[in-house]
Amino acid sequence: MIVNMSEKATEQEITHVIERIREAGYQPHVTRGVERTIVAAVGSGRRHEIEALQVAPGVDTVVAIAQPFKLVSRQVRPERSVVEINGVRIGGPEVVVIAGPCSVESREQLLDTAHAVRQAGASMLRGGAYKPRTSPYDFQGLGLEALKILREAREQTGLPVVTEVMSTEDVDVICEHVDMLQVGARNMQNFALLRRLATVNRPILLKRGPSATVKEWLLAAEYLLSGGNQQVVLCERGIKTFETEMRNTFDLAAVALARDLSHLPVIADPSHGTGKQSLIAAVSRAAVAVGADGLIIEVHPCPERALSDGPQSLDFAGFEKVMRALREPLRPTAVPRVAALSAQS
Ligand code: PEP
Ligand code: MN
């Protein structure tokens, strides 16, 4: 349930509503907007006691939250959230580009990539230390050694770093070394991991599971917010469909939908979303056009030698080209026919 306070509600009236929500067995969550304050009653409790707040002083309306996800929903927080990662703001007016290799393979490979992507205009660095690989025989990542290399890259370039966490056991050591933790697609519904990450003082990049609905994805984010971590960025990275030419099917509409349903920033991963170097520029531009707050792109000094995800990784020149393409206007010569008609009338 949501209690919308009136614009003129006093602090005392807001405090009263918060107390009554607690008494009714719910957790109160307060969102102070520019114009008015919203107090959400989250969890399970005595609903009729919240409904009765309709007549409490300072209350405008009491409404049910339509979606199963609550704190994530725009009903609870109509204004967009901005997540700050050591000075980089995701969810603001700028499109933030995160770039780097799929896996950290060596000190030289990562440092060269970090400098190159920074030069080309990336704002953050990515690199996997613990890799979720489909086969146990594939490269599994350098673990702690990779974390140290990532930290050195951050010190040299100033770029905040994001890396994937696969297990609750690794959370502390990863938090010591990097700025943001990624929950990979395969772990989107690892609830023990989500619960643990809800308690850390680090922003979380939450990828959509390859077979997850948008609702399930937002409910996974709800685990983080309800457990106390409000710093969550969503990432669409493609889903499984019957299509076989691409590694995954990038769900463009889900980027727009997630931003409609939630106040959390949403970024796009065209690398995993397509599996193809040649599609990165087009899908990146499309994602930005539908509202993506950022992009995460795989870059490798020599994709043909990459230990993971070479076919979808750009080399330095390819990445620079994508960054240039992102600055170009979207097809200025292709004016939709409908727009031309309405301009005449
Ligand atoms: C990755 O970012 O390299 C990765 C493994 O991503 P996903 O979890 O989306 O497959
Ligand atoms: Mn990858």
Side-chain angles (χ1 to χ4, degrees):
M1 303 288 287
I2 289 176
V3 181
N4 289 310
M5 303 303 297
S6 80
E7 280 171 42
K8 295 191 193 86
T10 64
E11 271 311 308
Q12 220 178 357
E13 288 164 347
I14 296 170
T15 307
H16 172 72
V17 165
I18 293 170
E19 279 165 9
R20 292 291 294 116
I21 287 175
R22 249 191 223 112
E23 279 172 27
Y26 292 91
Q27 287 167 10
H29 285 266
V30 184
T31 308
R32 290 176 193 272
V34 183
E35 275 164 19
R36 59 172 69 219
T37 296
I38 294 173
V39 191
V42 179
S44 49
R46 293 177 298 280
R47 190 186 164 103
H48 64 277
E49 291 184 27
I50 306 297
E51 283 164 354
L53 289 175
Q54 183 68 66
V55 291
V59 171
D60 187 1
T61 52
V62 177
V63 291
I65 307 177
Q67 298 285 359
F69 43 87
K70 313 287 178 195
L71 301 178
V72 160
S73 94
R74 284 191 80 184
Q75 244 186 312
V76 169
R77 191 184 153 90
E79 288 139 43
R80 302 221 62 83
S81 288
V82 174
V83 173
E84 188 171 331
I85 309 109
N86 268 348
V88 174
R89 291 164 62 81
I90 306 186
E94 280 176 19
V95 173
V96 169
V97 178
I98 306 171
C102 178
S103 306
V104 177
E105 298 169 6
S106 69
R107 183 169 176 270
E108 191 190 8
Q109 172 245 15
L110 188 78
L111 294 179
D112 286 356
T113 310
H115 286 286
V117 299
R118 193 181 80 130
Q119 187 71 27
S123 310
M124 279 184 64
L125 178 67
R126 61 151 289 148
Y130 302 88
K131 294 305 300 177
R133 303 306 302 277
T134 303
S135 163
Y137 305 116
D138 287 341
F139 177 62
Q140 303 286 308
L142 297 180
L144 180 59
E145 191 188 335
L147 295 179
K148 290 182 181 157
I149 297 171
L150 285 165
R151 191 171 172 162
E152 187 180 351
R154 186 200 32 204
E155 274 153 23
Q156 284 195 16
T157 60
L159 297 176
V161 167
V162 57
T163 200
E164 177 164 354
V165 55
M166 291 206 298
S167 150
T168 51
E169 284 164 36
D170 303 324
V171 170
D172 288 331
V173 70
I174 294 178
C175 284
E176 264 173 49
H177 290 81
V178 304
D179 308 280
M180 184 183 213
L181 277 59
Q182 170 176 320
V183 175
R186 295 159 182 83
N187 267 315
M188 187 203 84
Q189 284 188 318
N190 179 341
F191 300 115
L193 183 62
L194 294 173
R195 280 211 177 87
R196 175 74 179 84
L197 293 175
T199 67
V200 305
N201 182 23
R202 284 281 180 282
I204 308 296
L205 181 60
L206 178 64
K207 290 203 160 189
R208 178 182 179 188
S211 313
T213 63
V214 170
K215 195 177 278 181
E216 287 164 339
W217 183 26
L218 297 178
L219 279 167
E222 186 79 10
Y223 270 85
L224 296 167
L225 271 72
S226 66
N229 193 343
Q230 316 298 311
Q231 307 174 82
V232 177
V233 175
L234 300 165
C235 177
E236 161 61 37
R237 48 76 74 202
I239 52 173
K240 298 244 182 252
T241 67
F242 51 80
E243 173 54 52
T244 54
E245 284 298 314
M246 291 175 287
R247 185 177 177 190
N248 290 292
T249 298
F250 184 77
D251 191 355
L252 191 59
V255 173
L257 179 61
R259 289 180 93 260
D260 263 2
L261 296 174
S262 172
H263 54 86
L264 296 174
V266 182
I267 70 165
D269 177 345
S271 307
H272 295 88
T274 63
K276 280 184 190 298
Q277 282 174 337
S278 59
L279 297 176
I280 308 295
V283 174
S284 296
R285 279 159 62 78
V288 172
V290 299
D293 296 291
L295 298 162
I296 181 163
I297 299 177
E298 288 188 337
V299 179
H300 192 282
C302 181
E304 91 175 52
R305 291 181 188 274
L307 298 183
S308 61
D309 289 350
Q312 69 194 33
S313 299
L314 297 167
D315 61 15
F316 300 162
F319 179 63
E320 255 182 64
K321 222 168 135 186
V322 168
M323 291 299 277
R324 271 200 305 275
L326 280 170
R327 293 186 187 103
E328 280 163 20
L330 289 165
R331 302 179 65 197
T333 53
V335 180
R337 182 113 184 98
V338 201
L341 279 178
S342 59
Q344 275 168 19
S345 58

PDB file of all heavy atoms in Angstrom, residues 77-98:
ATOM      1  N   ARG A  77       8.312   5.506  -6.065  1.00  0.00           N
ATOM      2  CA  ARG A  77       9.270   6.599  -6.295  1.00  0.00           C
ATOM      3  C   ARG A  77       9.135   7.082  -7.736  1.00  0.00           C
ATOM      4  O   ARG A  77       9.766   6.534  -8.652  1.00  0.00           O
ATOM      5  CB  ARG A  77      10.694   6.074  -6.027  1.00  0.00           C
ATOM      6  CG  ARG A  77      11.726   7.140  -5.977  1.00  0.00           C
ATOM      7  CD  ARG A  77      13.116   6.555  -5.813  1.00  0.00           C
ATOM      8  NE  ARG A  77      14.068   7.478  -6.384  1.00  0.00           N
ATOM      9  CZ  ARG A  77      14.648   8.462  -5.700  1.00  0.00           C
ATOM     10  NH1 ARG A  77      14.424   8.617  -4.430  1.00  0.00           N
ATOM     11  NH2 ARG A  77      15.473   9.276  -6.306  1.00  0.00           N
ATOM     12  N   PRO A  78       8.292   8.076  -7.966  1.00  0.00           N
ATOM     13  CA  PRO A  78       8.039   8.515  -9.345  1.00  0.00           C
ATOM     14  C   PRO A  78       9.268   9.132 -10.031  1.00  0.00           C
ATOM     15  O   PRO A  78       9.408   9.048 -11.237  1.00  0.00           O
ATOM     16  CB  PRO A  78       6.927   9.554  -9.202  1.00  0.00           C
ATOM     17  CG  PRO A  78       6.384   9.376  -7.817  1.00  0.00           C
ATOM     18  CD  PRO A  78       7.471   8.776  -6.991  1.00  0.00           C
ATOM     19  N   GLU A  79      10.164   9.742  -9.229  1.00  0.00           N
ATOM     20  CA  GLU A  79      11.346  10.361  -9.856  1.00  0.00           C
ATOM     21  C   GLU A  79      12.407   9.307 -10.131  1.00  0.00           C
ATOM     22  O   GLU A  79      12.508   8.326  -9.404  1.00  0.00           O
ATOM     23  CB  GLU A  79      11.930  11.417  -8.918  1.00  0.00           C
ATOM     24  CG  GLU A  79      11.057  12.650  -8.835  1.00  0.00           C
ATOM     25  CD  GLU A  79      10.944  13.204  -7.435  1.00  0.00           C
ATOM     26  OE1 GLU A  79      11.957  13.271  -6.735  1.00  0.00           O
ATOM     27  OE2 GLU A  79       9.817  13.559  -7.033  1.00  0.00           O
ATOM     28  N   ARG A  80      13.216   9.508 -11.160  1.00  0.00           N
ATOM     29  CA  ARG A  80      14.244   8.523 -11.515  1.00  0.00           C
ATOM     30  C   ARG A  80      15.373   8.527 -10.487  1.00  0.00           C
ATOM     31  O   ARG A  80      15.748   9.574  -9.971  1.00  0.00           O
ATOM     32  CB  ARG A  80      14.818   8.821 -12.901  1.00  0.00           C
ATOM     33  CG  ARG A  80      13.789   8.853 -14.017  1.00  0.00           C
ATOM     34  CD  ARG A  80      14.319   8.169 -15.261  1.00  0.00           C
ATOM     35  NE  ARG A  80      14.598   6.770 -15.024  1.00  0.00           N
ATOM     36  CZ  ARG A  80      13.680   5.796 -15.068  1.00  0.00           C
ATOM     37  NH1 ARG A  80      12.437   6.055 -15.353  1.00  0.00           N
ATOM     38  NH2 ARG A  80      14.021   4.545 -14.835  1.00  0.00           N
ATOM     39  N   SER A  81      15.907   7.350 -10.217  1.00  0.00           N
ATOM     40  CA  SER A  81      17.038   7.245  -9.293  1.00  0.00           C
ATOM     41  C   SER A  81      18.347   7.392 -10.055  1.00  0.00           C
ATOM     42  O   SER A  81      18.452   6.979 -11.204  1.00  0.00           O
ATOM     43  CB  SER A  81      17.057   5.867  -8.630  1.00  0.00           C
ATOM     44  OG  SER A  81      16.016   5.780  -7.726  1.00  0.00           O
ATOM     45  N   VAL A  82      19.317   7.961  -9.378  1.00  0.00           N
ATOM     46  CA  VAL A  82      20.669   8.049  -9.935  1.00  0.00           C
ATOM     47  C   VAL A  82      21.563   7.222  -9.020  1.00  0.00           C
ATOM     48  O   VAL A  82      21.502   7.353  -7.807  1.00  0.00           O
ATOM     49  CB  VAL A  82      21.149   9.520  -9.983  1.00  0.00           C
ATOM     50  CG1 VAL A  82      22.608   9.594 -10.414  1.00  0.00           C
ATOM     51  CG2 VAL A  82      20.268  10.340 -10.921  1.00  0.00           C
ATOM     52  N   VAL A  83      22.363   6.347  -9.607  1.00  0.00           N
ATOM     53  CA  VAL A  83      23.294   5.537  -8.816  1.00  0.00           C
ATOM     54  C   VAL A  83      24.695   6.071  -9.080  1.00  0.00           C
ATOM     55  O   VAL A  83      25.108   6.201 -10.239  1.00  0.00           O
ATOM     56  CB  VAL A  83      23.178   4.042  -9.193  1.00  0.00           C
ATOM     57  CG1 VAL A  83      24.266   3.219  -8.502  1.00  0.00           C
ATOM     58  CG2 VAL A  83      21.789   3.519  -8.818  1.00  0.00           C
ATOM     59  N   GLU A  84      25.387   6.409  -8.001  1.00  0.00           N
ATOM     60  CA  GLU A  84      26.711   7.002  -8.161  1.00  0.00           C
ATOM     61  C   GLU A  84      27.789   5.985  -7.810  1.00  0.00           C
ATOM     62  O   GLU A  84      27.738   5.352  -6.763  1.00  0.00           O
ATOM     63  CB  GLU A  84      26.826   8.236  -7.267  1.00  0.00           C
ATOM     64  CG  GLU A  84      28.105   8.971  -7.558  1.00  0.00           C
ATOM     65  CD  GLU A  84      28.208  10.321  -6.892  1.00  0.00           C
ATOM     66  OE1 GLU A  84      27.175  10.963  -6.651  1.00  0.00           O
ATOM     67  OE2 GLU A  84      29.358  10.712  -6.628  1.00  0.00           O
ATOM     68  N   ILE A  85      28.726   5.807  -8.730  1.00  0.00           N
ATOM     69  CA  ILE A  85      29.828   4.875  -8.506  1.00  0.00           C
ATOM     70  C   ILE A  85      31.113   5.689  -8.537  1.00  0.00           C
ATOM     71  O   ILE A  85      31.612   6.018  -9.622  1.00  0.00           O
ATOM     72  CB  ILE A  85      29.869   3.758  -9.581  1.00  0.00           C
ATOM     73  CG1 ILE A  85      28.496   3.106  -9.711  1.00  0.00           C
ATOM     74  CG2 ILE A  85      30.923   2.697  -9.252  1.00  0.00           C
ATOM     75  CD1 ILE A  85      27.775   3.411 -10.962  1.00  0.00           C
ATOM     76  N   ASN A  86      31.605   6.034  -7.359  1.00  0.00           N
ATOM     77  CA  ASN A  86      32.826   6.849  -7.260  1.00  0.00           C
ATOM     78  C   ASN A  86      32.867   8.009  -8.249  1.00  0.00           C
ATOM     79  O   ASN A  86      33.805   8.126  -9.042  1.00  0.00           O
ATOM     80  CB  ASN A  86      34.060   5.964  -7.458  1.00  0.00           C
ATOM     81  CG  ASN A  86      34.547   5.453  -6.118  1.00  0.00           C
ATOM     82  OD1 ASN A  86      34.115   5.934  -5.057  1.00  0.00           O
ATOM     83  ND2 ASN A  86      35.431   4.473  -6.146  1.00  0.00           N
ATOM     84  N   GLY A  87      31.832   8.810  -8.238  1.00  0.00           N
ATOM     85  CA  GLY A  87      31.823  10.008  -9.084  1.00  0.00           C
ATOM     86  C   GLY A  87      31.142   9.822 -10.428  1.00  0.00           C
ATOM     87  O   GLY A  87      30.816  10.787 -11.099  1.00  0.00           O
ATOM     88  N   VAL A  88      30.921   8.578 -10.863  1.00  0.00           N
ATOM     89  CA  VAL A  88      30.208   8.354 -12.134  1.00  0.00           C
ATOM     90  C   VAL A  88      28.732   8.166 -11.808  1.00  0.00           C
ATOM     91  O   VAL A  88      28.377   7.320 -10.981  1.00  0.00           O
ATOM     92  CB  VAL A  88      30.766   7.108 -12.873  1.00  0.00           C
ATOM     93  CG1 VAL A  88      29.933   6.797 -14.106  1.00  0.00           C
ATOM     94  CG2 VAL A  88      32.224   7.324 -13.245  1.00  0.00           C
ATOM     95  N   ARG A  89      27.882   8.968 -12.453  1.00  0.00           N
ATOM     96  CA  ARG A  89      26.455   8.931 -12.141  1.00  0.00           C
ATOM     97  C   ARG A  89      25.683   8.220 -13.244  1.00  0.00           C
ATOM     98  O   ARG A  89      25.661   8.698 -14.386  1.00  0.00           O
ATOM     99  CB  ARG A  89      25.921  10.355 -11.967  1.00  0.00           C
ATOM    100  CG  ARG A  89      26.456  11.029 -10.700  1.00  0.00           C
ATOM    101  CD  ARG A  89      26.253  12.531 -10.738  1.00  0.00           C
ATOM    102  NE  ARG A  89      24.839  12.894 -10.814  1.00  0.00           N
ATOM    103  CZ  ARG A  89      24.019  12.940  -9.782  1.00  0.00           C
ATOM    104  NH1 ARG A  89      24.457  12.641  -8.570  1.00  0.00           N
ATOM    105  NH2 ARG A  89      22.763  13.285  -9.936  1.00  0.00           N
ATOM    106  N   ILE A  90      25.054   7.087 -12.900  1.00  0.00           N
ATOM    107  CA  ILE A  90      24.231   6.372 -13.880  1.00  0.00           C
ATOM    108  C   ILE A  90      22.769   6.682 -13.571  1.00  0.00           C
ATOM    109  O   ILE A  90      22.312   6.497 -12.438  1.00  0.00           O
ATOM    110  CB  ILE A  90      24.476   4.845 -13.843  1.00  0.00           C
ATOM    111  CG1 ILE A  90      25.970   4.528 -14.006  1.00  0.00           C
ATOM    112  CG2 ILE A  90      23.660   4.147 -14.946  1.00  0.00           C
ATOM    113  CD1 ILE A  90      26.305   3.047 -14.117  1.00  0.00           C
ATOM    114  N   GLY A  91      22.042   7.155 -14.608  1.00  0.00           N
ATOM    115  CA  GLY A  91      20.637   7.518 -14.406  1.00  0.00           C
ATOM    116  C   GLY A  91      20.414   9.010 -14.561  1.00  0.00           C
ATOM    117  O   GLY A  91      19.288   9.478 -14.525  1.00  0.00           O
ATOM    118  N   GLY A  92      21.488   9.752 -14.762  1.00  0.00           N
ATOM    119  CA  GLY A  92      21.390  11.193 -14.998  1.00  0.00           C
ATOM    120  C   GLY A  92      21.298  11.475 -16.495  1.00  0.00           C
ATOM    121  O   GLY A  92      20.998  10.570 -17.282  1.00  0.00           O
ATOM    122  N   PRO A  93      21.582  12.716 -16.891  1.00  0.00           N
ATOM    123  CA  PRO A  93      21.433  13.057 -18.318  1.00  0.00           C
ATOM    124  C   PRO A  93      22.453  12.382 -19.238  1.00  0.00           C
ATOM    125  O   PRO A  93      22.197  12.201 -20.421  1.00  0.00           O
ATOM    126  CB  PRO A  93      21.616  14.580 -18.333  1.00  0.00           C
ATOM    127  CG  PRO A  93      22.222  14.944 -17.028  1.00  0.00           C
ATOM    128  CD  PRO A  93      21.913  13.861 -16.051  1.00  0.00           C
ATOM    129  N   GLU A  94      23.612  11.969 -18.700  1.00  0.00           N
ATOM    130  CA  GLU A  94      24.639  11.394 -19.585  1.00  0.00           C
ATOM    131  C   GLU A  94      24.506   9.896 -19.750  1.00  0.00           C
ATOM    132  O   GLU A  94      24.146   9.188 -18.806  1.00  0.00           O
ATOM    133  CB  GLU A  94      26.020  11.665 -18.991  1.00  0.00           C
ATOM    134  CG  GLU A  94      26.493  13.064 -19.273  1.00  0.00           C
ATOM    135  CD  GLU A  94      27.823  13.376 -18.602  1.00  0.00           C
ATOM    136  OE1 GLU A  94      28.543  12.442 -18.219  1.00  0.00           O
ATOM    137  OE2 GLU A  94      28.098  14.577 -18.457  1.00  0.00           O
ATOM    138  N   VAL A  95      24.816   9.408 -20.956  1.00  0.00           N
ATOM    139  CA  VAL A  95      24.854   7.956 -21.190  1.00  0.00           C
ATOM    140  C   VAL A  95      26.246   7.474 -20.762  1.00  0.00           C
ATOM    141  O   VAL A  95      27.258   7.922 -21.289  1.00  0.00           O
ATOM    142  CB  VAL A  95      24.607   7.638 -22.682  1.00  0.00           C
ATOM    143  CG1 VAL A  95      24.815   6.158 -22.958  1.00  0.00           C
ATOM    144  CG2 VAL A  95      23.207   8.076 -23.086  1.00  0.00           C
ATOM    145  N   VAL A  96      26.279   6.587 -19.786  1.00  0.00           N
ATOM    146  CA  VAL A  96      27.553   6.126 -19.235  1.00  0.00           C
ATOM    147  C   VAL A  96      28.003   4.862 -19.975  1.00  0.00           C
ATOM    148  O   VAL A  96      27.226   3.915 -20.121  1.00  0.00           O
ATOM    149  CB  VAL A  96      27.380   5.825 -17.729  1.00  0.00           C
ATOM    150  CG1 VAL A  96      28.585   5.080 -17.166  1.00  0.00           C
ATOM    151  CG2 VAL A  96      27.144   7.125 -16.963  1.00  0.00           C
ATOM    152  N   VAL A  97      29.236   4.861 -20.454  1.00  0.00           N
ATOM    153  CA  VAL A  97      29.744   3.660 -21.132  1.00  0.00           C
ATOM    154  C   VAL A  97      30.757   2.955 -20.236  1.00  0.00           C
ATOM    155  O   VAL A  97      31.737   3.546 -19.782  1.00  0.00           O
ATOM    156  CB  VAL A  97      30.367   4.000 -22.504  1.00  0.00           C
ATOM    157  CG1 VAL A  97      30.932   2.742 -23.169  1.00  0.00           C
ATOM    158  CG2 VAL A  97      29.325   4.667 -23.408  1.00  0.00           C
ATOM    159  N   ILE A  98      30.477   1.674 -19.990  1.00  0.00           N
ATOM    160  CA  ILE A  98      31.372   0.811 -19.218  1.00  0.00           C
ATOM    161  C   ILE A  98      32.019  -0.116 -20.247  1.00  0.00           C
ATOM    162  O   ILE A  98      31.312  -0.718 -21.058  1.00  0.00           O
ATOM    163  CB  ILE A  98      30.582  -0.039 -18.205  1.00  0.00           C
ATOM    164  CG1 ILE A  98      29.708   0.844 -17.305  1.00  0.00           C
ATOM    165  CG2 ILE A  98      31.511  -0.930 -17.390  1.00  0.00           C
ATOM    166  CD1 ILE A  98      28.718   0.056 -16.421  1.00  0.00           C
TER     167      ILE A  98
END
